[in-house]
Amino acid sequence: MPMGFGRQSLAGSMIGGIAETQAVIDVAARPGIAATCEMITPAQIADSYEKLVNRQARYRHVIDMTAA
């Protein structure tokens, strides 16, 4: 109840925990299925978000924090 009055929310995922996620990754890795990633810098986050909104994102975008 205090969260509701403070206009806060709590979100979670119904897809499982770390063990379940690892099991899916292991099954996909056997035949060589992998995600295609595009490394971006923190300066490119806004552009990456626009691609996502405009349904132009073709790859998983991973932020390279060492390029900051």
Side-chain angles (χ1 to χ4, degrees):
M1 199 54 120
M3 285 179 60
F5 290 121
R7 301 187 81 182
Q8 298 175 350
S9 64
L10 177 66
S13 172
M14 300 298 286
I15 63 169
I18 293 172
E20 291 85 356
T21 302
Q22 186 62 55
V24 170
I25 291 170
D26 292 343
V27 168
R30 282 187 211 123
I33 299 171
T36 303
C37 298
E38 179 179 342
M39 297 292 286
I40 64 171
T41 64
Q44 295 172 304
I45 292 173
D47 292 334
S48 176
Y49 180 74
E50 284 299 316
K51 285 181 182 179
L52 180 66
V53 169
N54 294 326
R55 298 178 184 258
Q56 297 171 335
R58 300 192 60 139
Y59 311 105
R60 177 179 181 169
H61 291 175
V62 177
I63 303 167
D64 182 3
M65 295 305 292
T66 62

